[in-house]
Amino acid sequence: MDRRSFIRNAGAASAGVTAAALAAPAIAQENPQITWRMTSSFTKGLDILFGAGQLVADHVKEASGGNFVIQHFAGGEIVPALQAADAVSAGTVEMAHTCSYYYVGKDPTFALGTAIPFGLNARQTNAWFNQAGGNDLLNAFFAKHNIYSILLGNTGAQMGGWFRKEINTIDDLKGLKMRIAGLAGQVMQKVGVTPQQIAGGDVYAALEKGTIDATEFVGPYDDQKLGFYKVAKYYYYPAWWEGGPAVHAFINLEKYNSLPENYKRILKDACAAGNAYMLERYDAQNPKALKELVAQGAILRPFSQEILDVCHKAAVETYAGISSVNPDFKTIYESQQAFKKDAYLWAQIAEYTYDTYMMIQQRNGTL
């Protein structure tokens, strides 16, 4: 071999070794081995709520080639269900799957992350968060609590809950002890209800023992699983306090910021899949469950116009009072209100008229 060929071949081999040596650490930096713990505010028995979190954990592991692992724990396995946000803030866990409005005791602004009485419906919630600046507004607030949030579920409009007795007038609500979350508890308090905040897994026992007189939870599918119809037969609708409640992944802000950019994208994409999954599953399962609940003795009742009007007035007064002393709440609330007003202008033109016509066909048996 002549001298020039030897040098040329040796140089090419050296370049290949160098590239390989550099590539391996680069790949390792982009795809480090990371294990997180995610605590849930839900029990494993609530398979749609808990399942959305598990879907995220599974997607993240698969998309990262097993390098980014999120261990998923039910409420109570690491911390109590209603202390999930505290655990994230403190860094006890890296992540939680929870409802923001569980933490209104810290600041009423937390309610706006999930749902407020007479607030956004499910489609409006997703649109406001993802297309109208809602994520940025909420995350600016959550940053004060060392939390970064990503949408991870929506139940759709919920049912108004289970009552031991009929609720025909606003006076029938007075004196009731009711499990109800978020700012809805404050609104209900204005009309005479004593609100109770109880984790989902403990609600049935409280209702059975008479510790509470009524409870709201989600809708037919979950309510049937929890057996509320066995101890309170009157099933009211709609949950004017939860027209489209969002569920979130709460992530420790420092831990989120330290993730490689590709892991952040994987996590966001997984949460988007979980967000869609939850609403789709409820839309698919609730119709069958409602039929079965009625067959099992549940008595469906609508809230009266009087009750809705009085509660709406109480809600508006509540928001005005909070806004006057809480700038964070005021900013986010006014953004949601402005979005909702325009959204309903559009919805009544197309969606409402179409759905109303099709519902009439369903009732007439001509669908």
Side-chain angles (χ1 to χ4, degrees):
M1 180 182 295
D2 63 44
R3 184 171 176 275
R4 288 182 180 178
S5 297
F6 176 80
I7 293 172
R8 184 169 57 248
N9 293 337
S14 175
V17 171
T18 303
L22 291 174
I27 292 170
Q29 280 187 334
E30 290 176 3
N31 299 285
Q33 291 281 346
I34 293 176
T35 299
W36 279 8
R37 296 191 302 170
M38 174 170 62
T39 186
S40 179
S41 287
F42 314 110
T43 63
K44 293 178 181 177
L46 297 170
D47 60 301
I48 297 180
L49 285 165
F50 187 82
Q54 188 59 48
L55 182 148
V56 168
D58 293 342
H59 278 217
V60 166
K61 183 177 181 179
E62 182 178 350
S64 67
N67 289 322
F68 186 7
V69 175
I70 298 174
Q71 298 171 338
H72 188 200
F73 296 89
E77 289 185 336
I78 300 178
V79 296
L82 301 183
Q83 293 178 22
D86 298 309
V88 171
S89 292
T92 305
V93 295
E94 291 82 8
M95 187 173 172
H97 187 210
T98 189
C99 293
S100 179
Y101 69 1
Y102 291 156
Y103 312 103
V104 293
K106 298 176 179 296
D107 188 314
T109 310
F110 274 94
L112 294 164
T114 300
I116 60 171
F118 304 100
L120 304 171
N121 66 22
R123 279 181 58 172
Q124 291 166 358
T125 294
N126 282 328
W128 177 77
F129 270 105
N130 292 326
Q131 303 297 327
N135 283 322
D136 292 338
L137 285 173
L138 260 297
N139 275 322
F141 166 72
F142 288 142
K144 299 177 182 181
H145 299 269
N146 199 29
I147 289 171
Y148 182 83
S149 71
I150 307 174
L151 280 178
L152 180 44
N154 196 304
T155 68
Q158 296 190 359
M159 289 291 284
W162 299 87
F163 294 76
R164 291 181 178 277
K165 66 174 187 177
E166 285 194 75
I167 307 297
N168 296 313
T169 70
I170 198 70
D171 288 337
D172 292 331
L173 289 171
K174 292 178 180 176
L176 286 184
K177 299 187 295 294
M178 182 177 183
R179 183 269 184 190
I180 188 164
L183 283 186
Q186 293 185 30
V187 175
M188 289 295 254
Q189 199 165 19
K190 278 181 172 285
V191 299
V193 171
T194 301
Q196 308 285 321
Q197 186 145 303
I198 303 172
D202 301 324
V203 176
Y204 181 90
L207 195 60
E208 183 180 37
K209 294 174 183 176
T211 306
I212 55 176
D213 305 303
T215 185
E216 56 79 32
F217 194 66
V218 177
Y221 182 73
D222 284 341
D223 292 357
Q224 184 183 39
K225 280 178 167 289
L226 293 171
F228 296 141
Y229 66 93
K230 299 174 184 177
V231 287
K233 65 181 180 179
Y234 292 102
Y235 199 20
Y236 277 83
Y237 62 91
W240 43 265
W241 48 84
E242 293 186 71
V247 188
H248 273 91
F250 275 6
I251 306 160
N252 179 276
L253 183 58
E254 295 167 7
K255 290 292 185 179
Y256 177 78
N257 287 336
S258 70
L259 283 178
E261 290 302 315
N262 60 326
Y263 280 11
K264 290 179 183 177
R265 173 50 55 195
I266 287 172
L267 181 57
K268 286 183 175 180
D269 288 348
C271 286
N275 191 54
Y277 160 90
M278 186 183 292
L279 187 56
E280 292 164 357
R281 280 289 312 278
Y282 277 120
D283 282 347
Q285 298 297 330
N286 278 333
K288 176 175 178 287
L290 183 60
K291 289 179 183 178
E292 292 174 351
L293 282 169
V294 171
Q296 290 165 336
I299 301 173
L300 286 177
R301 291 285 188 271
F303 285 124
S304 69
Q305 188 69 38
E306 176 212 15
I307 289 173
L308 292 173
D309 288 346
V310 171
C311 290
H312 183 264
K313 182 174 182 290
V316 171
E317 291 172 352
T318 299
Y319 307 146
I322 297 172
S323 294
S324 69
V325 297
N326 189 320
D328 288 327
F329 183 93
K330 184 175 188 292
T331 296
I332 299 171
Y333 172 68
E334 288 181 350
S335 175
Q336 288 188 352
Q337 282 295 97
F339 184 84
K340 181 171 60 177
K341 288 176 182 177
D342 283 345
Y344 274 121
L345 280 175
W346 160 236
Q348 63 189 295
I349 297 299
E351 296 282 347
Y352 177 78
T353 50
Y354 175 75
D355 285 347
T356 299
Y357 178 79
M358 295 305 292
M359 290 172 190
I360 290 171
Q361 302 313 304
Q362 190 269 343
R363 291 172 186 172
N364 291 340
T366 55
L367 188 62

Short mmCIF file of all heavy atoms in Angstrom, two decimals, residues 110-166:
data_model
loop_
_atom_site.label_atom_id
_atom_site.label_comp_id
_atom_site.label_asym_id
_atom_site.label_seq_id
_atom_site.Cartn_x
_atom_site.Cartn_y
_atom_site.Cartn_z
N PHE A 110 -57.52 28.33 41.69
CA PHE A 110 -57.37 26.93 41.32
C PHE A 110 -58.65 26.38 40.69
O PHE A 110 -58.59 25.48 39.84
CB PHE A 110 -56.99 26.08 42.54
CG PHE A 110 -55.52 26.02 42.82
CD1 PHE A 110 -54.94 26.90 43.72
CD2 PHE A 110 -54.72 25.08 42.20
CE1 PHE A 110 -53.57 26.85 44.00
CE2 PHE A 110 -53.35 25.02 42.46
CZ PHE A 110 -52.78 25.91 43.36
N ALA A 111 -59.80 26.90 41.08
CA ALA A 111 -61.06 26.39 40.53
C ALA A 111 -61.14 26.58 39.02
O ALA A 111 -61.70 25.75 38.30
CB ALA A 111 -62.24 27.09 41.20
N LEU A 112 -60.57 27.66 38.53
CA LEU A 112 -60.66 27.99 37.11
C LEU A 112 -59.87 27.02 36.24
O LEU A 112 -60.06 26.96 35.03
CB LEU A 112 -60.17 29.42 36.88
CG LEU A 112 -61.05 30.50 37.51
CD1 LEU A 112 -60.30 31.83 37.58
CD2 LEU A 112 -62.35 30.67 36.74
N GLY A 113 -59.01 26.23 36.86
CA GLY A 113 -58.29 25.21 36.11
C GLY A 113 -59.13 23.99 35.81
O GLY A 113 -58.80 23.21 34.91
N THR A 114 -60.22 23.80 36.55
CA THR A 114 -61.09 22.64 36.33
C THR A 114 -62.46 23.09 35.82
O THR A 114 -62.80 22.89 34.66
CB THR A 114 -61.27 21.83 37.62
OG1 THR A 114 -59.98 21.37 38.06
CG2 THR A 114 -62.16 20.61 37.39
N ALA A 115 -63.25 23.70 36.68
CA ALA A 115 -64.58 24.17 36.29
C ALA A 115 -65.13 25.05 37.40
O ALA A 115 -64.81 24.86 38.57
CB ALA A 115 -65.52 22.98 36.07
N ILE A 116 -65.96 26.00 37.00
CA ILE A 116 -66.70 26.81 37.96
C ILE A 116 -68.17 26.74 37.59
O ILE A 116 -68.52 26.43 36.44
CB ILE A 116 -66.22 28.28 37.98
CG1 ILE A 116 -66.39 28.93 36.60
CG2 ILE A 116 -64.78 28.36 38.47
CD1 ILE A 116 -66.13 30.42 36.58
N PRO A 117 -69.06 26.99 38.53
CA PRO A 117 -70.49 26.97 38.22
C PRO A 117 -70.83 27.89 37.05
O PRO A 117 -70.39 29.03 36.99
CB PRO A 117 -71.12 27.45 39.52
CG PRO A 117 -70.18 26.99 40.58
CD PRO A 117 -68.82 27.18 39.98
N PHE A 118 -71.59 27.34 36.11
CA PHE A 118 -72.04 28.05 34.92
C PHE A 118 -70.85 28.51 34.06
O PHE A 118 -70.88 29.56 33.44
CB PHE A 118 -72.95 29.22 35.29
CG PHE A 118 -74.13 28.82 36.11
CD1 PHE A 118 -74.13 29.00 37.49
CD2 PHE A 118 -75.23 28.21 35.53
CE1 PHE A 118 -75.21 28.60 38.28
CE2 PHE A 118 -76.32 27.81 36.30
CZ PHE A 118 -76.31 28.00 37.67
N GLY A 119 -69.81 27.69 34.05
CA GLY A 119 -68.61 28.01 33.29
C GLY A 119 -68.62 27.38 31.91
O GLY A 119 -69.68 27.17 31.29
N LEU A 120 -67.45 27.04 31.41
CA LEU A 120 -67.27 26.52 30.06
C LEU A 120 -67.74 25.07 29.95
O LEU A 120 -67.63 24.30 30.90
CB LEU A 120 -65.79 26.59 29.67
CG LEU A 120 -65.11 27.96 29.76
CD1 LEU A 120 -63.60 27.79 29.56
CD2 LEU A 120 -65.67 28.93 28.75
N ASN A 121 -68.25 24.71 28.75
CA ASN A 121 -68.54 23.30 28.52
C ASN A 121 -67.26 22.60 28.05
O ASN A 121 -66.19 23.22 27.97
CB ASN A 121 -69.70 23.11 27.53
CG ASN A 121 -69.38 23.58 26.12
OD1 ASN A 121 -68.23 23.68 25.70
ND2 ASN A 121 -70.42 23.89 25.35
N ALA A 122 -67.35 21.31 27.74
CA ALA A 122 -66.14 20.54 27.47
C ALA A 122 -65.39 21.04 26.25
O ALA A 122 -64.16 21.21 26.28
CB ALA A 122 -66.49 19.05 27.31
N ARG A 123 -66.09 21.28 25.15
CA ARG A 123 -65.42 21.75 23.94
C ARG A 123 -64.84 23.14 24.16
O ARG A 123 -63.73 23.45 23.71
CB ARG A 123 -66.40 21.75 22.76
CG ARG A 123 -66.56 20.37 22.15
CD ARG A 123 -67.49 20.36 20.98
NE ARG A 123 -67.07 21.26 19.90
CZ ARG A 123 -67.66 21.31 18.71
NH1 ARG A 123 -68.68 20.51 18.46
NH2 ARG A 123 -67.24 22.15 17.78
N GLN A 124 -65.58 24.00 24.83
CA GLN A 124 -65.07 25.34 25.12
C GLN A 124 -63.84 25.27 26.01
O GLN A 124 -62.88 26.04 25.84
CB GLN A 124 -66.16 26.18 25.78
CG GLN A 124 -67.32 26.53 24.86
CD GLN A 124 -68.52 27.06 25.62
OE1 GLN A 124 -68.53 27.14 26.84
NE2 GLN A 124 -69.57 27.41 24.88
N THR A 125 -63.85 24.36 26.97
CA THR A 125 -62.70 24.21 27.87
C THR A 125 -61.45 23.86 27.08
O THR A 125 -60.39 24.49 27.24
CB THR A 125 -62.98 23.13 28.92
OG1 THR A 125 -64.04 23.57 29.78
CG2 THR A 125 -61.75 22.85 29.78
N ASN A 126 -61.53 22.84 26.23
CA ASN A 126 -60.37 22.45 25.44
C ASN A 126 -59.92 23.58 24.51
O ASN A 126 -58.72 23.83 24.36
CB ASN A 126 -60.68 21.19 24.62
CG ASN A 126 -60.63 19.93 25.45
OD1 ASN A 126 -59.85 19.82 26.39
ND2 ASN A 126 -61.47 18.96 25.12
N ALA A 127 -60.88 24.26 23.90
CA ALA A 127 -60.54 25.34 22.97
C ALA A 127 -59.90 26.51 23.70
O ALA A 127 -58.92 27.10 23.23
CB ALA A 127 -61.78 25.80 22.22
N TRP A 128 -60.46 26.87 24.86
CA TRP A 128 -59.90 28.01 25.61
C TRP A 128 -58.48 27.70 26.07
O TRP A 128 -57.57 28.52 25.93
CB TRP A 128 -60.79 28.34 26.82
CG TRP A 128 -60.23 29.45 27.66
CD1 TRP A 128 -60.27 30.79 27.38
CD2 TRP A 128 -59.53 29.32 28.91
NE1 TRP A 128 -59.64 31.51 28.38
CE2 TRP A 128 -59.17 30.63 29.32
CE3 TRP A 128 -59.18 28.24 29.71
CZ2 TRP A 128 -58.49 30.88 30.52
CZ3 TRP A 128 -58.49 28.48 30.89
CH2 TRP A 128 -58.15 29.78 31.29
N PHE A 129 -58.27 26.52 26.61
CA PHE A 129 -56.93 26.16 27.08
C PHE A 129 -55.92 26.12 25.93
O PHE A 129 -54.84 26.70 26.03
CB PHE A 129 -56.94 24.78 27.77
CG PHE A 129 -57.20 24.83 29.25
CD1 PHE A 129 -58.43 24.46 29.76
CD2 PHE A 129 -56.23 25.25 30.13
CE1 PHE A 129 -58.67 24.49 31.13
CE2 PHE A 129 -56.45 25.29 31.49
CZ PHE A 129 -57.68 24.90 31.99
N ASN A 130 -56.28 25.43 24.85
CA ASN A 130 -55.29 25.13 23.82
C ASN A 130 -55.20 26.17 22.71
O ASN A 130 -54.17 26.25 22.03
CB ASN A 130 -55.60 23.77 23.20
CG ASN A 130 -55.36 22.62 24.16
OD1 ASN A 130 -54.46 22.67 24.99
ND2 ASN A 130 -56.18 21.58 24.06
N GLN A 131 -56.26 26.96 22.52
CA GLN A 131 -56.27 27.88 21.38
C GLN A 131 -56.47 29.34 21.77
O GLN A 131 -56.34 30.22 20.91
CB GLN A 131 -57.37 27.47 20.39
CG GLN A 131 -57.27 26.05 19.87
CD GLN A 131 -56.00 25.81 19.07
OE1 GLN A 131 -55.51 26.70 18.40
NE2 GLN A 131 -55.47 24.59 19.14
N ALA A 132 -56.82 29.63 22.98
CA ALA A 132 -57.15 31.01 23.37
C ALA A 132 -56.32 31.50 24.55
O ALA A 132 -56.74 32.41 25.27
CB ALA A 132 -58.65 31.12 23.67
N GLY A 133 -55.17 30.89 24.80
CA GLY A 133 -54.26 31.39 25.82
C GLY A 133 -54.49 30.88 27.22
O GLY A 133 -53.79 31.30 28.16
N GLY A 134 -55.42 29.96 27.39
CA GLY A 134 -55.73 29.46 28.74
C GLY A 134 -54.57 28.76 29.41
O GLY A 134 -54.32 28.95 30.60
N ASN A 135 -53.84 27.94 28.64
CA ASN A 135 -52.69 27.24 29.24
C ASN A 135 -51.66 28.21 29.79
O ASN A 135 -51.13 28.03 30.89
CB ASN A 135 -52.03 26.32 28.19
CG ASN A 135 -52.80 25.04 27.96
OD1 ASN A 135 -53.35 24.47 28.89
ND2 ASN A 135 -52.84 24.61 26.72
N ASP A 136 -51.38 29.25 29.03
CA ASP A 136 -50.38 30.22 29.48
C ASP A 136 -50.85 30.97 30.72
O ASP A 136 -50.07 31.20 31.66
CB ASP A 136 -50.09 31.22 28.36
CG ASP A 136 -49.36 30.59 27.19
OD1 ASP A 136 -48.73 29.53 27.39
OD2 ASP A 136 -49.44 31.14 26.07
N LEU A 137 -52.13 31.36 30.74
CA LEU A 137 -52.66 32.09 31.90
C LEU A 137 -52.61 31.23 33.16
O LEU A 137 -52.18 31.69 34.22
CB LEU A 137 -54.10 32.53 31.63
CG LEU A 137 -54.29 33.71 30.68
CD1 LEU A 137 -55.78 33.90 30.38
CD2 LEU A 137 -53.71 34.98 31.26
N LEU A 138 -53.05 29.97 33.04
CA LEU A 138 -53.07 29.10 34.21
C LEU A 138 -51.66 28.76 34.67
O LEU A 138 -51.37 28.74 35.87
CB LEU A 138 -53.85 27.81 33.91
CG LEU A 138 -55.29 27.74 34.43
CD1 LEU A 138 -55.33 27.79 35.95
CD2 LEU A 138 -56.15 28.84 33.86
N ASN A 139 -50.75 28.53 33.71
CA ASN A 139 -49.40 28.15 34.12
C ASN A 139 -48.63 29.31 34.73
O ASN A 139 -47.74 29.10 35.56
CB ASN A 139 -48.64 27.54 32.94
CG ASN A 139 -48.91 26.05 32.81
OD1 ASN A 139 -49.02 25.36 33.83
ND2 ASN A 139 -49.04 25.56 31.60
N ALA A 140 -48.98 30.53 34.36
CA ALA A 140 -48.37 31.68 35.03
C ALA A 140 -48.80 31.71 36.49
O ALA A 140 -48.00 32.04 37.39
CB ALA A 140 -48.79 32.98 34.33
N PHE A 141 -50.05 31.33 36.75
CA PHE A 141 -50.53 31.25 38.14
C PHE A 141 -49.93 30.04 38.86
O PHE A 141 -49.43 30.15 39.98
CB PHE A 141 -52.05 31.17 38.16
CG PHE A 141 -52.62 30.75 39.48
CD1 PHE A 141 -52.60 31.63 40.57
CD2 PHE A 141 -53.14 29.48 39.67
CE1 PHE A 141 -53.11 31.24 41.81
CE2 PHE A 141 -53.64 29.09 40.90
CZ PHE A 141 -53.63 29.98 41.98
N PHE A 142 -49.95 28.87 38.21
CA PHE A 142 -49.44 27.66 38.85
C PHE A 142 -47.95 27.76 39.18
O PHE A 142 -47.47 27.12 40.12
CB PHE A 142 -49.67 26.44 37.94
CG PHE A 142 -51.11 26.00 37.84
CD1 PHE A 142 -51.61 25.54 36.63
CD2 PHE A 142 -51.95 26.04 38.93
CE1 PHE A 142 -52.93 25.13 36.51
CE2 PHE A 142 -53.28 25.64 38.83
CZ PHE A 142 -53.76 25.18 37.61
N ALA A 143 -47.21 28.54 38.41
CA ALA A 143 -45.77 28.69 38.66
C ALA A 143 -45.50 29.22 40.06
O ALA A 143 -44.46 28.92 40.66
CB ALA A 143 -45.15 29.61 37.61
N LYS A 144 -46.44 29.98 40.60
CA LYS A 144 -46.29 30.49 41.96
C LYS A 144 -46.33 29.36 42.99
O LYS A 144 -45.92 29.54 44.14
CB LYS A 144 -47.40 31.50 42.27
CG LYS A 144 -47.39 32.73 41.36
CD LYS A 144 -48.55 33.65 41.66
CE LYS A 144 -48.56 34.85 40.72
NZ LYS A 144 -49.67 35.78 40.99
N HIS A 145 -46.83 28.21 42.56
CA HIS A 145 -46.91 27.04 43.44
C HIS A 145 -45.94 25.94 42.99
O HIS A 145 -46.09 24.78 43.40
CB HIS A 145 -48.35 26.52 43.46
CG HIS A 145 -49.34 27.52 43.97
ND1 HIS A 145 -49.68 27.61 45.30
CD2 HIS A 145 -50.03 28.50 43.33
CE1 HIS A 145 -50.56 28.59 45.46
NE2 HIS A 145 -50.79 29.15 44.28
N ASN A 146 -44.99 26.31 42.14
CA ASN A 146 -43.98 25.37 41.65
C ASN A 146 -44.61 24.23 40.86
O ASN A 146 -44.17 23.07 40.93
CB ASN A 146 -43.14 24.81 42.81
CG ASN A 146 -41.82 24.22 42.32
OD1 ASN A 146 -41.27 24.65 41.32
ND2 ASN A 146 -41.32 23.22 43.04
N ILE A 147 -45.65 24.56 40.07
CA ILE A 147 -46.38 23.56 39.29
C ILE A 147 -46.44 24.00 37.83
O ILE A 147 -46.64 25.17 37.52
CB ILE A 147 -47.82 23.39 39.83
CG1 ILE A 147 -47.81 22.69 41.19
CG2 ILE A 147 -48.70 22.62 38.84
CD1 ILE A 147 -49.16 22.67 41.87
N TYR A 148 -46.26 23.02 36.94
CA TYR A 148 -46.55 23.20 35.51
C TYR A 148 -47.68 22.24 35.18
O TYR A 148 -47.67 21.08 35.60
CB TYR A 148 -45.32 22.88 34.66
CG TYR A 148 -45.53 23.10 33.18
CD1 TYR A 148 -45.39 24.37 32.63
CD2 TYR A 148 -45.89 22.05 32.34
CE1 TYR A 148 -45.60 24.58 31.28
CE2 TYR A 148 -46.09 22.25 30.99
CZ TYR A 148 -45.95 23.52 30.46
OH TYR A 148 -46.17 23.74 29.12
N SER A 149 -48.68 22.71 34.41
CA SER A 149 -49.86 21.88 34.15
C SER A 149 -50.02 21.57 32.68
O SER A 149 -49.67 22.39 31.82
CB SER A 149 -51.12 22.57 34.67
OG SER A 149 -51.44 23.70 33.86
N ILE A 150 -50.56 20.39 32.41
CA ILE A 150 -50.93 19.97 31.06
C ILE A 150 -52.31 19.32 31.14
O ILE A 150 -52.56 18.50 32.04
CB ILE A 150 -49.93 18.97 30.46
CG1 ILE A 150 -48.49 19.50 30.53
CG2 ILE A 150 -50.29 18.63 29.02
CD1 ILE A 150 -47.43 18.48 30.09
N LEU A 151 -53.21 19.67 30.24
CA LEU A 151 -54.53 19.05 30.23
C LEU A 151 -54.41 17.53 30.14
O LEU A 151 -53.66 17.01 29.33
CB LEU A 151 -55.35 19.53 29.03
CG LEU A 151 -56.04 20.89 29.12
CD1 LEU A 151 -56.75 21.18 27.79
CD2 LEU A 151 -57.04 20.94 30.27
N LEU A 152 -55.17 16.84 30.98
CA LEU A 152 -55.16 15.38 30.95
C LEU A 152 -56.55 14.85 31.30
O LEU A 152 -56.76 14.14 32.26
CB LEU A 152 -54.09 14.82 31.90
CG LEU A 152 -53.92 13.29 31.99
CD1 LEU A 152 -53.94 12.63 30.63
CD2 LEU A 152 -52.66 12.95 32.73
N GLY A 153 -57.54 15.27 30.53
CA GLY A 153 -58.86 14.70 30.69
C GLY A 153 -59.97 15.72 30.81
O GLY A 153 -59.75 16.86 31.23
N ASN A 154 -61.17 15.28 30.43
CA ASN A 154 -62.39 16.06 30.60
C ASN A 154 -63.53 15.07 30.65
O ASN A 154 -63.60 14.16 29.82
CB ASN A 154 -62.56 17.05 29.45
CG ASN A 154 -63.58 18.14 29.77
OD1 ASN A 154 -64.73 17.87 30.10
ND2 ASN A 154 -63.14 19.38 29.68
N THR A 155 -64.42 15.24 31.61
CA THR A 155 -65.52 14.28 31.76
C THR A 155 -66.73 14.63 30.93
O THR A 155 -67.65 13.83 30.79
CB THR A 155 -65.98 14.21 33.23
OG1 THR A 155 -66.60 15.45 33.59
CG2 THR A 155 -64.82 13.91 34.17
N GLY A 156 -66.76 15.85 30.36
CA GLY A 156 -68.00 16.34 29.76
C GLY A 156 -68.93 16.81 30.86
O GLY A 156 -68.63 16.69 32.06
N ALA A 157 -70.06 17.37 30.47
CA ALA A 157 -71.03 17.87 31.45
C ALA A 157 -71.43 16.74 32.39
O ALA A 157 -71.74 15.63 31.96
CB ALA A 157 -72.26 18.44 30.76
N GLN A 158 -71.41 17.03 33.68
CA GLN A 158 -71.69 16.00 34.67
C GLN A 158 -73.16 16.01 35.10
O GLN A 158 -73.94 16.88 34.71
CB GLN A 158 -70.77 16.21 35.88
CG GLN A 158 -69.30 16.04 35.53
CD GLN A 158 -68.40 15.98 36.73
OE1 GLN A 158 -68.84 16.10 37.88
NE2 GLN A 158 -67.11 15.82 36.50
N MET A 159 -73.51 15.05 35.90
CA MET A 159 -74.85 14.98 36.48
C MET A 159 -74.88 15.81 37.78
O MET A 159 -73.85 16.04 38.41
CB MET A 159 -75.24 13.54 36.78
CG MET A 159 -75.50 12.72 35.52
SD MET A 159 -76.99 13.22 34.63
CE MET A 159 -78.29 12.53 35.67
N GLY A 160 -76.09 16.23 38.15
CA GLY A 160 -76.25 17.10 39.31
C GLY A 160 -76.20 16.39 40.65
O GLY A 160 -76.28 17.05 41.69
N GLY A 161 -76.08 15.09 40.63
CA GLY A 161 -75.84 14.38 41.88
C GLY A 161 -77.02 13.60 42.43
O GLY A 161 -78.14 13.60 41.89
N TRP A 162 -76.75 12.93 43.54
CA TRP A 162 -77.68 12.00 44.19
C TRP A 162 -78.18 12.61 45.49
O TRP A 162 -77.41 13.07 46.32
CB TRP A 162 -76.98 10.68 44.48
CG TRP A 162 -76.49 10.01 43.24
CD1 TRP A 162 -75.29 10.20 42.61
CD2 TRP A 162 -77.20 9.06 42.45
NE1 TRP A 162 -75.21 9.42 41.49
CE2 TRP A 162 -76.36 8.70 41.36
CE3 TRP A 162 -78.46 8.46 42.57
CZ2 TRP A 162 -76.76 7.78 40.39
CZ3 TRP A 162 -78.85 7.55 41.60
CH2 TRP A 162 -78.00 7.21 40.53
N PHE A 163 -79.51 12.58 45.68
CA PHE A 163 -80.14 13.19 46.85
C PHE A 163 -81.08 12.17 47.49
O PHE A 163 -81.74 11.39 46.81
CB PHE A 163 -80.94 14.43 46.44
CG PHE A 163 -80.09 15.57 45.92
CD1 PHE A 163 -79.55 15.53 44.64
CD2 PHE A 163 -79.83 16.68 46.71
CE1 PHE A 163 -78.77 16.57 44.16
CE2 PHE A 163 -79.04 17.73 46.24
CZ PHE A 163 -78.52 17.67 44.96
N ARG A 164 -81.14 12.24 48.81
CA ARG A 164 -82.02 11.33 49.53
C ARG A 164 -83.49 11.72 49.37
O ARG A 164 -84.37 10.89 49.52
CB ARG A 164 -81.67 11.34 51.03
CG ARG A 164 -80.31 10.71 51.35
CD ARG A 164 -80.08 10.75 52.86
NE ARG A 164 -78.83 10.11 53.22
CZ ARG A 164 -78.69 8.79 53.39
NH1 ARG A 164 -79.70 7.98 53.19
NH2 ARG A 164 -77.51 8.29 53.72
N LYS A 165 -83.73 13.00 49.10
CA LYS A 165 -85.10 13.47 48.96
C LYS A 165 -85.22 14.32 47.69
O LYS A 165 -84.22 14.74 47.11
CB LYS A 165 -85.51 14.30 50.17
CG LYS A 165 -84.73 15.61 50.30
CD LYS A 165 -85.28 16.47 51.44
CE LYS A 165 -84.59 17.85 51.44
NZ LYS A 165 -85.15 18.73 52.49
N GLU A 166 -86.46 14.57 47.27
CA GLU A 166 -86.69 15.41 46.10
C GLU A 166 -86.30 16.85 46.40
O GLU A 166 -86.50 17.35 47.51
CB GLU A 166 -88.15 15.36 45.67
CG GLU A 166 -88.54 14.06 44.97
CD GLU A 166 -89.88 14.18 44.27
OE1 GLU A 166 -89.94 14.83 43.21
OE2 GLU A 166 -90.87 13.64 44.81
#
